[in-house]
Amino acid sequence: MQNSILSEIFNEMADIMEILGEDRFRINSNRKVGRVIGDIGMDIEILLATGELAKVPGIGKSSLAKIEEFIKAGKIAAHQELLKKIPPKLLELLRVPGMGPKGVKAVYEKLNVKSIAELKGAIKSGSFAKLPGFGDKKAAAIIRGIEFLEKSTGRIRLDEAMGAAYIVTDLLRELAGTHRIQTAGSLRRRAETIGDVDILVSSGKSKKASERIIEGFASAEFVEEVLAAGPTKGSAIIRTETTPVQVDVRVVPKESFGAAAQYFTGSKEHNVRLREIAIKAGLKLNEYGLFKGEKMVAGEVEEEIYQKLGLDYIEPMLREDRGEIDAAGSHTLPELVRLKDIRGDLHIHSRASDGNCSISELAEAAKKLGYKYICITDHSKSSAIANGLSAKRLARQIKEIRRLNEQIEGITILAGSEVDILADSSLDFDNKLLAELDFVIASIHSGMTGPRQKVTARTLKAMDNPHVRCIGHPTGRLIGQREPMDLDIAAVIKHAAETHTALELNANPWRLDLKDTHCRMAIEAGVKLVIGTDTHNIAGLGLMGFGVATAARGWATKADILNTLETAESFTGIGT
Ligand code: DGT
Ligand code: CA
Ligand code: CA
Ligand code: ZN
């Protein structure tokens, strides 16, 4: 039955027209048609064919024509036209409990809010509550609505998923009968956002052991709500410090553990392709193993599944059906960059701007990580809220860093800056001062909602400056909170190659910017990446792994990442 899709289309037309402030009569008539079709209880195609539909009250001539059009073409031109008139994510606002078309119209018209992320921003900044007829109470209700939506359908950040996985694996390890524990799904692939956390456990043969593990999980103190608990699978919402997270735990037999790890790591698209290869080879692949007829040829060890299919082992980060299976067959997979390849962190904020630590504290902590160098990149003066450094303060900081290097052994501290790219595309410091620095990152921190042409031009212009070695967090996105800038990423990559400017892969799990697919484009264009944590404290130095995993998802090798270079000298003296 196509009734429900059709009903939704009419309702959507009504919503869009209401948001656009169109004729009230036509809005109501679309809504009514939507309701009638939804309630009708008989296949609309048959009603149309028999002529009955024309007699149904509420369905006029023009609606009838639209319904006919839909049955023939699968879409309605008037609906498509309406969709073109609004930003693509605007309708998602309607899913927030408490936000009707009138509310959406108000925030779109008055605050230029175009997505849930931007709605959150408008509530946070207080501008939402100031709208006539809204107020603090309404703002609080909408925030609860968004939270609800995120809890039920939302995707969480990688660090949040990781935190949830730690909580659960810690418990599982303590339970009797658990042999091996392995995270799977998008978390194991280190995707930038995670729908739910998947964990596999192998246990002994007895059914009892498996049931006890699921019971142990479902009754854990951190469980907020049990969604399902069967003999081998449990699914629950668990509490973490930041957000509720859905965790699926599956108990699998030892001899199938590798096959289950392969299957539940996904991605689904990767699995589909792998299964095709198995079928071509006369084999059968599922979550229990790889079979020839009834005989299991692989299952306990994940690597063997790939091996028996004639493929090199494919790291989880690559399993997205982006060409990895062909590459594994022709032995041309890249040797992915690893955390142990990283020699230093080139994006660090100290107490001088908005960080919490002194330069020497940061250097000592970096030394403990085995780093050979760090670069201090405090904000520049236009980032006033971040206590950006004036030219004078930066000149003093450079001297301080040179002095500290005399005292500290075993690590080199580079003097850098995260200099603002201003609205007119110029930089916040003059070239004379920039020339004093070892490494300069240029970033956009203002005017991020500007038009594509403008934000792109600003970025390109910054790369033309010979002292700029890297563009920081190129799209400026904050996952779940702020949309990326409307940047022409292909143009940025092309110009980065022309000007030998590196692009940052900001390792902060809020950013992961560049994202995986953009990293891959950059690498293919011969552009080097810098993985920086953008840390403001010592703990933040530990975020490097998120950046490395994202780079690996972009098929990066060690040679593609600048801060795998062995010595600090590789970065100094540029532009002098
Ligand atoms: P998520 O949770 O949305 O971030 O993404 P995943 O990839 O973790 O997806 P999830 O949790 O639904 O399922 C975990 C893995 O299980 C998935 O990556 C591949 C496998 N899987 C799930 N459903 C199917 C399916 O219908 N076909 C195949 N081939 N694999 C599936
Ligand atoms: Ca999942
Ligand atoms: Ca799942
Ligand atoms: Zn920044």
Side-chain angles (χ1 to χ4, degrees):
M1 295 236 286
Q2 304 180 76
N3 299 34
S4 60
I5 305 172
L6 201 47
S7 163
E8 253 180 63
I9 290 179
F10 275 95
N11 276 319
E12 206 169 65
M13 287 198 286
D15 288 338
I16 300 173
M17 288 162 72
E18 193 159 357
I19 291 166
L20 294 172
E22 294 193 11
D23 178 59
R24 169 76 24 206
F25 175 78
R26 289 183 51 223
I27 295 170
N28 289 342
S29 116
N30 275 321
R31 244 190 242 301
K32 176 140 195 211
V33 175
R35 197 169 52 240
V36 168
I37 297 171
D39 292 344
I40 225 163
M42 275 181 72
D43 193 325
I44 195 127
E45 201 167 344
I46 298 170
L47 286 176
L48 184 71
T50 57
E52 292 293 317
L53 194 60
K55 295 180 204 154
V56 174
I59 298 189
K61 253 203 194 123
S62 84
S63 305
L64 203 61
K66 288 194 183 84
I67 295 168
E68 243 179 313
E69 188 190 348
F70 177 77
I71 303 276
K72 275 201 201 112
K75 58 184 177 186
I76 297 172
H79 175 235
Q80 302 291 322
E81 288 305 315
L82 282 168
L83 281 173
K84 275 188 217 145
K85 289 188 189 166
I86 54 165
K89 288 192 169 179
L90 193 65
L91 289 176
E92 76 177 24
L93 292 177
L94 288 169
R95 301 205 332 263
V96 178
M99 285 294 287
K102 281 197 194 69
V104 175
K105 178 174 162 63
V107 295
Y108 176 48
E109 271 180 8
K110 305 226 171 75
L111 305 174
N112 195 28
V113 163
K114 302 183 292 302
S115 66
I116 290 178
E118 289 178 2
L119 179 60
K120 268 198 215 169
I123 293 174
K124 237 186 182 164
S125 74
S127 55
F128 178 92
K130 285 197 199 99
L131 285 179
F134 280 53
D136 286 332
K137 235 169 144 179
K138 174 93 176 164
I142 295 296
I143 280 290
R144 278 198 305 278
I146 293 173
E147 272 164 11
F148 169 83
L149 197 65
E150 284 173 343
K151 191 171 151 181
S152 46
T153 65
R155 301 183 63 80
I156 56 170
R157 290 190 320 272
L158 195 47
D159 56 320
E160 295 175 316
M162 205 86 101
Y166 279 133
I167 293 174
V168 177
T169 49
D170 259 7
L171 170 98
L172 292 172
R173 243 191 306 272
E174 298 297 311
L175 295 178
T178 57
H179 295 176
R180 290 168 69 187
I181 299 170
Q182 161 90 66
T183 57
S186 50
L187 177 56
R188 185 166 178 233
R189 302 196 311 276
R190 299 291 188 266
E192 64 186 31
T193 62
I194 307 296
D196 63 13
V197 170
D198 300 280
I199 299 175
L200 300 177
V201 182
S202 81
S203 78
K205 277 235 181 309
S206 90
K207 201 173 143 229
K208 265 272 163 57
S210 155
E211 270 170 25
R212 269 202 305 267
I213 292 169
I214 298 300
E215 269 166 30
F217 164 59
S219 62
E221 160 276 320
F222 51 71
V223 165
E224 204 165 272
E225 189 188 344
V226 178
L227 303 173
T232 60
K233 189 192 159 184
S235 186
I237 306 284
I238 75 155
R239 260 192 318 278
T240 73
E241 275 173 22
T242 55
T243 178
V245 177
Q246 183 181 329
V247 180
D248 293 348
V249 174
R250 292 182 182 84
V251 184
V252 299
K254 180 170 166 278
E255 61 274 17
S256 293
F257 194 75
Q262 196 292 310
Y263 181 88
F264 290 109
T265 295
S267 66
K268 198 168 154 185
E269 293 75 13
H270 173 91
N271 287 355
V272 167
R273 293 267 289 116
L274 209 59
R275 198 161 337 124
E276 284 169 8
I277 292 194
I279 291 166
K280 270 194 201 134
L283 303 167
K284 194 178 85 193
L285 176 63
N286 57 33
E287 64 265 52
Y288 302 104
L290 182 66
F291 298 90
K292 180 155 199 149
E294 297 291 296
K295 189 172 165 281
M296 189 196 270
V297 292
E300 187 171 347
V301 181
E302 190 182 41
E303 282 85 345
E304 283 182 10
I305 308 254
Y306 288 95
Q307 194 197 335
K308 291 278 160 61
L309 290 172
L311 303 172
D312 290 343
Y313 179 70
I314 301 173
E315 301 273 355
M317 277 89 78
L318 297 182
R319 299 183 196 172
E320 298 291 347
D321 190 23
R322 294 174 182 161
E324 73 279 8
I325 292 179
D326 287 344
S330 58
H331 312 295
T332 52
L333 281 171
E335 191 173 325
L336 300 179
V337 60
R338 290 179 189 282
L339 185 55
K340 67 173 173 49
D341 296 326
I342 299 295
R343 294 289 175 269
D345 194 336
L346 298 173
H347 192 163
I348 296 179
H349 295 272
S350 81
R351 197 182 284 155
S353 62
D354 57 346
N356 295 329
C357 304
S358 71
I359 296 172
S360 56
E361 282 164 349
L362 289 158
E364 288 300 335
K367 221 162 85 178
K368 289 206 184 92
L369 294 173
Y371 287 168
K372 298 278 199 303
Y373 48 84
I374 57 170
C375 185
I376 301 300
T377 51
D378 276 313
H379 287 288
S380 61
K381 59 180 187 288
S382 291
S383 280
I385 25 168
N387 189 25
L389 272 58
S390 65
K392 213 163 151 191
R393 287 177 65 209
L394 179 58
R396 233 184 296 142
Q397 188 184 59
I398 297 171
K399 285 206 185 99
E400 181 194 349
I401 288 174
R402 305 292 180 231
R403 204 167 46 238
L404 270 172
N405 269 320
E406 310 267 296
Q407 295 161 13
I408 289 183
E409 300 270 303
I411 191 163
T412 303
I413 308 167
L414 299 172
S417 171
E418 183 184 12
V419 62
D420 270 346
I421 302 171
L422 304 177
D424 67 357
S425 303
S426 69
L427 298 176
D428 213 2
F429 293 129
D430 64 26
N431 278 344
K432 187 156 171 287
L433 183 54
L434 293 177
E436 301 276 315
L437 296 165
D438 301 315
F439 191 79
V440 176
I441 300 174
S443 303
I444 292 183
H445 290 118
S446 61
M448 303 178 92
T449 54
R452 184 178 180 85
Q453 189 272 331
K454 172 121 200 236
V455 292
T456 305
R458 287 169 73 190
T459 307
L460 299 186
K461 179 86 189 302
M463 288 194 269
D464 285 332
N465 185 303
H467 305 295
V468 170
R469 299 293 319 283
C470 179
I471 298 296
H473 44 70
T475 77
R477 74 165 174 182
L478 292 176
I479 290 173
Q481 197 176 75
R482 185 169 70 207
E483 298 294 320
M485 292 190 293
D486 188 9
L487 194 68
D488 182 346
I489 200 83
V492 167
I493 287 171
K494 181 165 173 276
H495 204 54
E498 287 160 357
T499 55
H500 301 284
T501 311
L503 297 178
E504 179 177 63
L505 195 185
N506 193 296
N508 189 314
W510 283 91
R511 294 189 182 271
L512 301 177
D513 175 18
L514 296 178
K515 66 194 249 134
D516 52 7
T517 48
H518 291 162
C519 285
R520 188 153 170 203
M521 283 167 66
I523 290 164
E524 279 167 5
V527 172
K528 300 285 182 211
L529 302 175
V530 167
I531 307 176
T533 62
D534 197 355
T535 187
H536 291 66
N537 51 49
I538 286 180
L541 289 167
L543 299 175
M544 186 63 79
F546 292 112
V548 173
T550 301
R553 286 176 60 81
W555 292 49
T557 66
K558 182 179 170 184
D560 298 314
I561 310 299
L562 268 192
N563 49 315
T564 61
L565 292 173
E566 291 298 328
T567 63
E569 284 70 45
S570 321
F571 301 94
T572 54
I574 303 300
T576 55

